[in-house]
Amino acid sequence: MTVLVTGAAGFIGFHLVNALLDRGERVVGVDNFIHFYDPALKQARVQALLKRDDFSFHDLDVGDPKALAALFEGYASIDRVLHMAGQPGVRRSITHPWEFIRSNIDGQLAMVEAVRQLPDFKHLVFASSSSVYGDSKEVPFSLDNRADRPRSLYAASKRAAEHIAATYSHLYGIPTTGLRFFTVYGPWGRPDMAALLFIDAVMRGNKLWLFNGGNLKRDFTYIDDIVAGVLAALDRPPAKDREGLPYAIYNLGNHRTVDVRDFVKVVEAACGKPAKVEDAPMQPGDVHVTYADISASTRDLGFMPRTPIEEGIPRTVEWYKRYYGVD
């Protein structure tokens, strides 16, 4: 049988496709190369994947229900989906709100509408975000925490996607798992996120802007740990909950917070260069802390992150030097 991975040209999707192929799965990947960051990086990921056997790729917008339905018709063997596609970016959601509705809400609806038509479908796993917790003061972020006060449209769109998936699970019995990711970083990472932004600034001798004067804490999670968690979720479709829904939500994070200024020190050590730090005000839509309670994902999925930033950041720096040719 076959796994569909949406957002296959993206950071997490790329690593998931590789991991699935490594364990002998047949994989269909889709992406529409949204120009949120340099599309050359996305193209490079896809070109690397296309060198592997048992992988096929389609340039497709998951927000287009007809195109998505046609894809499933062309691959009758698809029985599981890792729906990683979506528009990321807290600050961009303030300036480009319609992109987030199209990708994160229309795309989610198109996906659940498509899979509900499949007679032997096994499991839909989709990407959510720690952003749904807003600027919660209850830490670590537990699944019992409130998630109804988003600080950005990005967060609101991800929470809406969770509700859409839960509704379809209830109506049609679709086995569905949502995964709330916490600040994922690593090789082939998104250049708009802190790890690559900081590494790039230090390596090139540019200013490194620390929002809120660096008085922020993040639950930085290495990509290999995230991949292990996603695959564990994929292999364990949820049992019916107390309301009879085969639906579950989990946090996937490192279960520890790191002060952003301490994170900069680890980046400096890995790069072998000092950072030119400049303080900046808190950004609209941002939050002060992210911190994952992973007790449920450890209990049900065996999820146990193993990579501290002291290991993950040097690996990311080495990839950065090779890919960008900067030393």
Side-chain angles (χ1 to χ4, degrees):
M1 304 305 283
T2 302
V3 183
L4 171 65
V5 180
T6 71
F11 171 37
I12 297 175
F14 165 77
H15 284 278
L16 285 170
V17 171
N18 271 314
L20 288 165
L21 294 172
D22 285 345
R23 72 180 200 176
E25 301 271 13
R26 296 179 63 86
V27 182
V28 176
V30 303
D31 207 295
N32 70 337
F33 300 100
I34 293 174
H35 285 204
F36 175 53
Y37 56 83
D38 184 5
L41 177 57
K42 297 181 181 181
Q43 292 285 357
R45 294 181 186 129
V46 171
Q47 291 306 310
L49 293 174
L50 287 172
K51 295 176 182 178
R52 305 201 56 180
D53 295 332
D54 294 324
F55 176 72
S56 58
F57 180 80
H58 297 265
D59 188 336
L60 183 149
D61 178 4
V62 295
D64 182 341
K66 291 183 179 179
L68 196 58
L71 179 79
F72 279 101
E73 289 177 5
Y75 290 93
S77 62
I78 293 174
D79 64 347
R80 291 154 293 158
V81 173
L82 292 179
H83 183 35
M84 301 292 113
Q87 176 65 64
V90 167
R91 286 184 283 278
R92 186 174 177 85
S93 72
I94 296 173
T95 57
H96 296 75
W98 292 109
E99 292 180 4
F100 290 76
I101 301 302
R102 172 69 175 180
S103 292
N104 299 348
I105 296 180
D106 291 356
Q108 184 80 329
L109 180 58
M111 179 57 71
V112 293
E113 268 290 307
V115 300
R116 80 175 179 89
Q117 312 291 338
L118 305 179
D120 299 313
F121 186 72
K122 293 180 180 177
H123 196 188
L124 168 64
V125 179
F126 69 93
S128 188
S129 169
S130 64
S131 294
V132 302
Y133 291 111
D135 203 13
S136 177
K137 303 301 185 291
E138 299 178 56
V139 293
F141 293 174
S142 164
L143 297 174
D144 295 326
N145 282 25
R146 294 181 62 173
D148 60 355
R149 293 186 177 178
R151 296 294 294 266
S152 65
L153 185 66
Y154 169 66
S157 70
K158 283 297 188 180
R159 186 63 172 135
E162 292 182 356
H163 287 313
I164 290 168
T167 300
Y168 269 67
S169 180
H170 169 71
L171 291 174
Y172 304 107
I174 303 169
T176 306
T177 300
L179 301 174
R180 295 172 177 172
F181 297 137
F182 282 70
T183 318
V184 188
Y185 76 97
W188 294 95
R190 279 172 40 200
D192 63 295
M193 292 191 71
L196 266 296
L197 280 173
F198 290 7
I199 290 169
D200 186 72
V202 172
M203 291 300 299
R204 298 181 188 274
N206 296 331
K207 290 182 179 179
L208 192 164
W209 297 97
L210 291 186
F211 299 120
N212 199 41
N215 295 313
L216 303 170
K217 295 181 182 293
R218 292 291 181 265
D219 194 335
F220 293 99
T221 315
Y222 190 64
I223 184 61
D224 289 1
D225 293 326
I226 288 292
V227 167
V230 176
L231 295 187
L234 179 67
D235 294 340
R236 295 168 176 81
K240 292 183 179 180
D241 64 15
R242 66 187 65 181
E243 297 179 0
L245 274 68
Y247 177 83
I249 290 283
Y250 295 106
N251 291 331
L252 292 187
N254 204 33
H255 189 50
R256 67 187 70 183
T257 59
V258 177
D259 187 281
V260 169
R261 288 191 176 273
D262 292 334
F263 187 74
V264 172
K265 293 177 183 177
V266 175
V267 170
E268 289 177 312
C271 293
K273 298 180 181 181
K276 298 179 179 179
V277 173
E278 293 282 347
D279 291 340
M282 190 76 168
Q283 296 295 288
D286 212 347
V287 299
H288 289 83
V289 61
T290 64
Y291 182 9
D293 177 345
I294 60 170
S295 56
S297 50
T298 299
R299 179 193 67 225
D300 296 348
L301 308 177
F303 176 67
M304 185 58 65
R306 304 183 184 281
T307 313
I309 59 171
E310 290 78 10
E311 295 179 14
I313 288 298
R315 296 177 194 170
T316 308
V317 169
E318 288 306 309
W319 169 83
Y320 171 91
K321 291 178 178 178
R322 292 194 304 271
Y323 182 81
Y324 290 102
V326 177
D327 206 341

